[in-house]
Amino acid sequence: MATIVEPGKRPDVKHTKCFINGEWVDAASGKTFETVCPATENTIAEVAEGDKEDVARAATAAREAFENGPWSRMDARDRGRLMYKFADLMEQELDQLAMLESWDNGKPLRDSRAADVPLAIDCIRYYAGLADKIQGDTVPIRGNYFCYTRREPVGVVGQIIPWNFPMLMTAWKWGPALAAGCTIVMKPAEQTPLTCLRMAQLAKDAGIPDGVINVIPGFGPTAGGACVENPDIDKIAFTGEHITAQIIMKNAAQTLKRLTFELGGKSPNIIFADADFEAAVKGAHFGLFFNQGQCCCAGSRVFVEDSVHDQFINRIGEMNEKRKVGDPFDMATEQGPQVDKAQFDKIMGFIEKGKEQGADCVTGGNRVGDKGFFIEPTVFDNVTDDMDIAQKEIFGPVMSVLKFSDVDEVIERGNNTFYGLAAAVWTKDVKKAHHMAAKLRAGTVWVNCYDVFDAAAPFGGFKMSGIGRELGIRGIDAYTESKTVTVAL
Ligand code: ADP
């Protein structure tokens, strides 16, 4: 199936080692792990398996670069210029980076090219422009004093990211950290380390000093856990599951690290009968099936008002019949494989559970082919709020459709989850739209659109979906400490 296995079509895998203090080095243990192409199940490369000792070396290099290197002290405008250069180098390699991303993750190349890589570049540029705009306040206090605040970099930051948007998550983490003058120890996801490693080299080529960015590929509890516990690291920025965040929070207590979390979701996507129906169906389809359903903000609970429900089910079914699932490197492909066997099995388990608990599987529900982790785009109708497929994050191409008949009812049911990452509303009624936007307990509410992301727009979760916000001007806050200076006059 996948043309990518043909020699000559493979992108170069230039880096598979740990990146510490500007150099490529083996893991101290000498161990490696396989990164696998989810479309073919073939091994792409053996990657250094970093662990505690490697994290310690990276943290020492990052600490040294922070305390004694030029990065945090250089003119912020120069920091910005190096970041622009880094973004330019990424842009020059856009095609190669997109191929590498699709090979390692399985996502369709047309998505990597159109979304992942350009959005990552845009994010680095956004924060390059912000580097020289980080400023404090002058504070009118009582008495004869001059009081002001300075915003200083938080120090060495540990960053732990998932596999669903490897490059983009790297950019979301590096952008604000670099702009603020922090130094970095990054732990990419074990499923998808390759593009993050390539980005580290491009950052070096752009002139970002050695030790500012360090990357330790490896597994969560070992390499990730070591970042959380290392006393040289001041902060952890984590994106992943809430259960992992709970472990991180507990393990970070010893060193009282600053923590920001962007976690999962079970986002309600609410379609009123008065919406532009075709736009709403397309938005609901995109909002769930984009990226093989592997989005923390996926609109996985689609609430459809009674009177348009049957029409919705028919139209979504038609769209799924035409959906092209297969080789990520075929530019016509709309849906690739899930990232790995563990995710594939988990999703198939949810599909079984949905059937068992009495929901109607109206489209899909099966594996595609017998090689690679492909799953048919799947829709469950007549889902009730208490079913597992309405409560738990599936992280796959599985849509749950729920009927509703009333505004207050759908607000209550939409909010009836411990998550609060995103929500969407489809209606032509402006009053209803703003009312819903105010009432839905989520960090992002999209109105008549879905998955609209921009480096300038803050993103993060209410409730168990996270702590803090990434992106936007205030995305820098999590990478700075505020210092109050008071001068007697
Ligand atoms: P997912 O199910 O999407 O893989 P995880 O939360 O398990 O979500 O993983 C997200 C990131 O967190 C990955 O880089 C993973 O290696 C890392 N991770 C997993 N467990 C831990 C842990 N105990 N401590 C630190 N990082 C972890």
Side-chain angles (χ1 to χ4, degrees):
M1 174 188 279
T3 52
I4 183 61
V5 292
E6 290 171 25
K9 285 195 175 173
R10 293 174 185 157
D12 290 342
V13 178
K14 293 187 172 134
H15 315 289
T16 55
K17 296 188 178 187
C18 300
F19 186 68
I20 301 176
N21 208 19
E23 301 201 340
W24 296 102
V25 292
D26 290 322
S29 67
K31 283 199 212 162
T32 59
F33 66 98
E34 292 177 346
T35 188
V36 169
C37 168
T40 60
E41 301 181 41
N42 293 336
T43 302
I44 301 173
E46 291 283 337
V47 177
E49 186 189 328
D51 203 333
K52 199 168 175 177
E53 200 177 325
D54 309 287
V55 168
R57 282 161 59 206
T60 302
R63 173 60 55 195
E64 174 63 20
F66 181 71
E67 302 291 347
N68 301 316
W71 188 246
S72 61
R73 269 177 264 125
M74 75 169 62
D75 189 307
R77 226 155 272 181
D78 292 336
R79 244 186 354 250
R81 277 176 44 204
L82 292 175
M83 291 176 68
Y84 278 123
K85 181 125 188 262
F86 172 33
D88 290 346
L89 294 184
M90 286 170 67
E91 197 164 50
Q92 281 170 24
E93 258 191 33
L94 198 149
D95 282 344
Q96 278 285 320
L97 286 169
M99 288 212 293
L100 201 55
E101 192 76 319
S102 287
W103 198 13
D104 211 10
N105 170 282
K107 61 179 70 200
L109 183 58
R110 70 185 210 176
D111 290 348
S112 305
R113 263 201 202 149
D116 296 70
V117 188
L119 286 172
I121 294 166
D122 195 52
C123 180
I124 298 293
R125 288 200 176 123
Y126 177 82
Y127 281 106
L130 206 59
D132 61 354
K133 296 164 194 73
I134 301 169
Q135 55 191 37
D137 300 312
T138 55
V139 188
I141 64 170
R142 285 182 201 281
N144 197 18
Y145 300 99
F146 169 45
C147 180
Y148 63 97
T149 60
R150 293 164 49 84
R151 299 219 63 109
E152 299 183 358
V154 78
V156 178
V157 300
Q159 303 183 318
I160 303 173
I161 57 166
W163 44 261
N164 57 342
F165 293 94
M167 278 195 74
L168 189 57
M169 290 301 104
T170 302
W172 282 25
K173 297 284 184 279
W174 289 3
L178 292 173
C182 294
T183 59
I184 295 167
V185 178
M186 161 68 84
K187 210 296 281 174
E190 52 273 34
Q191 296 87 346
T192 54
L194 298 178
T195 45
C196 178
L197 291 170
R198 181 63 193 148
M199 283 169 74
Q201 180 65 46
L202 294 177
K204 180 179 164 90
D205 294 348
I208 293 177
D210 292 348
V212 172
I213 292 174
N214 304 274
V215 182
I216 305 296
F219 293 95
T222 49
C227 291
V228 176
E229 287 176 18
N230 188 293
D232 261 328
I233 296 179
D234 298 293
K235 168 199 162 66
I236 293 287
F238 167 76
T239 300
E241 286 191 53
H242 75 275
I243 292 170
T244 313
Q246 288 168 326
I247 297 170
I248 291 176
M249 195 173 229
K250 209 164 141 220
N251 294 342
Q254 196 60 32
T255 47
L256 269 189
K257 286 196 172 48
R258 285 97 187 92
L259 296 174
T260 43
F261 291 150
E262 197 261 278
L263 310 174
K266 193 72 195 173
S267 300
N269 189 0
I270 299 168
I271 300 174
F272 286 99
D274 65 4
D276 172 340
F277 180 76
E278 192 55 22
V281 181
K282 285 192 175 135
H285 191 271
F286 177 67
L288 186 284
F289 293 108
F290 174 60
N291 208 40
Q292 295 65 247
Q294 302 168 143
C295 297
C296 44
C297 57
S300 51
R301 287 184 300 148
V302 182
F303 289 92
V304 184
E305 194 165 353
D306 290 328
S307 60
V308 291
H309 166 269
D310 294 354
Q311 204 185 339
F312 178 86
I313 293 290
N314 289 339
R315 186 73 187 94
I316 269 285
E318 278 170 23
M319 290 177 78
N320 279 345
E321 255 168 50
K322 290 196 204 120
R323 188 163 178 80
K324 191 161 183 325
V325 181
D327 177 4
F329 284 79
D330 178 342
M331 290 307 270
T333 293
E334 296 165 291
Q335 185 177 311
Q338 309 309 126
V339 78
D340 65 9
K341 173 100 174 36
Q343 290 295 320
F344 174 88
D345 288 343
K346 187 173 128 191
I347 297 161
M348 293 310 288
F350 273 114
I351 292 174
E352 282 319 303
K353 197 85 189 166
K355 291 176 183 167
E356 230 174 83
Q357 292 183 337
D360 296 330
C361 185
V362 289
T363 70
N366 302 301
R367 180 175 193 173
V368 178
D370 55 9
K371 197 90 189 130
F373 310 117
F374 297 91
I375 298 178
E376 289 174 346
T378 299
V379 178
F380 278 99
D381 193 13
N382 296 318
V383 177
T384 54
D385 295 346
D386 57 335
M387 290 178 182
D388 279 23
I389 55 170
Q391 289 284 327
K392 299 191 176 155
E393 188 175 38
I394 301 174
F395 229 66
V398 182
M399 178 185 280
S400 297
V401 181
L402 306 97
K403 268 191 226 177
F404 76 93
S405 51
D406 172 70
V407 171
D408 290 335
E409 172 210 332
V410 80
I411 291 170
E412 195 194 322
R413 292 173 61 198
N415 285 335
N416 184 19
T417 162
F418 65 63
Y419 290 118
L421 191 59
V425 183
W426 299 82
T427 175
K428 284 185 185 152
D429 179 338
V430 172
K431 277 193 202 165
K432 205 195 287 177
H434 287 289
H435 178 66
M436 297 294 293
K439 289 288 177 191
L440 289 166
R441 302 265 301 151
T444 291
V445 179
W446 286 294
V447 177
N448 296 332
C449 56
Y450 210 97
D451 274 346
V452 177
F453 279 93
D454 192 288
F459 186 75
F462 282 32
K463 301 194 270 182
M464 297 285 267
S465 287
I467 298 180
R469 293 290 177 272
E470 297 189 286
L471 304 183
I473 293 175
R474 292 193 187 146
I476 217 85
D477 291 355
Y479 290 93
T480 57
E481 296 275 14
S482 172
K483 179 183 281 176
T484 304
V485 182
T486 306
V487 184
L489 296 177

